[in-house]
Amino acid sequence: MKKSKWQIFTNGIFKENPVLILLLGCCSVLAISVTVQGALGMGAALTFVLVGSNVVISLLRKIIPDKVRIPCFIVVIATFVTLVEMITEAFLPDLYSSLGIFLALIVVNCIVLGRAEMFASKNGVVDSLLDGLGMGIGYTVVICAIAVVRELFASGTIYGLRIIPEGYQIGIIGQTPGGFLLFGIAMAVLIFALGKKGKKFDPRIGCDGACGNCNLGCENRIQDIKKEEETEVEK
């Protein structure tokens, strides 16, 4: 059944959140979520690239040869990443310095390339725009939520504003173990919330076998699961 425009938009925020459900783009989340400023900047940059690349790839989907579609997608994505880098470096040099190499690495971010392959190359411009916007917002909400907690407890500030007096910080929250801990908690909270709404978590979400890289036999496993479900329905 074809999804409505609203379902396409909200899909990336909740049901198929790119970070907490699809587990994509986790490296930048763990690295950049130390400060709220960096998290907002990274979220805005990724959203811009997602929306722009989705729209362009959707427009060109019928003329891009299938055999070279991945290189073509990367060229489109790299163009938007270059624009973001140039604008950020020119007008927000402090943010550009704090994001570092992770800004350039948006080119190979699995979220961007994954949506280009799985959605934009198969759907219209409006749907692709909404998909990119929803996925970008989903990513931004997660990285900012984690950043608020990490900056608050590790530095005692939120966006540079002092909240907790000096001397009461928990330094490990701002380090790698703290990032992994909060990432796991955020994932558990979202899965629990979806479960309360009657939406069972399915690790196969987002995989329709279209990538052609089923080296682990996931395609066969999906077929087995479908047969099991059909058998249960018949019973």
Side-chain angles (χ1 to χ4, degrees):
M1 184 176 67
K2 185 176 178 59
K3 294 180 180 179
S4 66
K5 297 290 190 289
W6 177 250
Q7 287 175 319
I8 292 173
F9 173 69
T10 58
N11 195 46
I13 303 176
F14 302 108
K15 188 178 179 181
E16 292 188 21
N17 186 281
V19 180
L20 301 182
I21 300 297
L22 301 183
L23 299 180
L24 302 175
C26 302
C27 293
S28 58
V29 171
L30 293 171
I32 302 299
S33 62
V34 180
T35 65
V36 176
Q37 181 184 18
L40 283 171
M42 189 67 188
L46 187 77
T47 301
F48 174 79
V49 174
L50 263 170
V51 172
S53 59
N54 266 19
V55 169
V56 172
I57 289 170
S58 179
L59 286 169
L60 301 177
R61 70 186 189 280
K62 294 183 179 179
I63 62 175
I64 294 178
D66 187 62
K67 292 183 178 180
V68 293
R69 68 185 188 283
I70 299 300
C72 291
F73 295 167
I74 292 175
V75 169
V76 172
I77 294 168
T79 301
F80 283 99
V81 172
T82 302
L83 286 174
V84 169
E85 282 193 284
M86 293 173 65
I87 293 171
T88 306
E89 187 176 12
F91 298 101
L92 300 167
D94 291 339
L95 178 61
Y96 179 80
S97 299
S98 66
L99 294 180
I101 190 62
F102 288 97
L103 188 59
L105 286 177
I106 294 177
V107 174
V108 291
N109 191 297
C110 296
I111 300 174
V112 184
L113 188 58
R115 298 323 294 174
E117 171 70 9
M118 299 293 294
F119 197 93
S121 62
K122 301 177 179 65
N123 294 274
V125 175
V126 176
D127 287 352
S128 298
L129 186 151
L130 292 173
D131 177 77
L133 187 60
M135 288 286 170
I137 291 175
Y139 173 90
T140 304
V141 168
V142 171
I143 192 174
C144 287
I146 294 176
V148 167
V149 179
R150 293 185 75 182
E151 182 176 353
L152 177 63
F153 286 98
S155 303
T157 63
I158 294 181
Y159 210 85
L161 179 65
R162 175 63 59 183
I163 304 295
I164 299 177
E166 293 185 11
Y168 293 91
Q169 288 75 44
I170 306 174
I172 195 172
I173 297 297
Q175 299 173 10
T176 303
F180 275 104
L181 175 63
L182 293 175
F183 182 83
I185 292 174
M187 186 187 302
V189 168
L190 180 57
I191 293 174
F192 176 77
L194 291 176
K196 295 292 284 186
K197 291 183 178 181
K199 298 178 181 179
K200 185 178 179 182
F201 172 67
D202 188 345
R204 295 172 290 137
I205 282 176
C207 176
D208 60 1
C211 66
N213 294 320
C214 294
N215 295 326
L216 298 179
C218 63
E219 187 174 7
N220 293 331
R221 178 56 184 154
I222 290 174
Q223 295 300 324
D224 292 339
I225 293 174
K226 288 181 179 179
K227 290 179 181 179
E228 292 173 4
E229 293 173 348
E230 291 173 358
T231 303
E232 291 178 1
V233 171
E234 291 176 357
K235 292 179 179 180

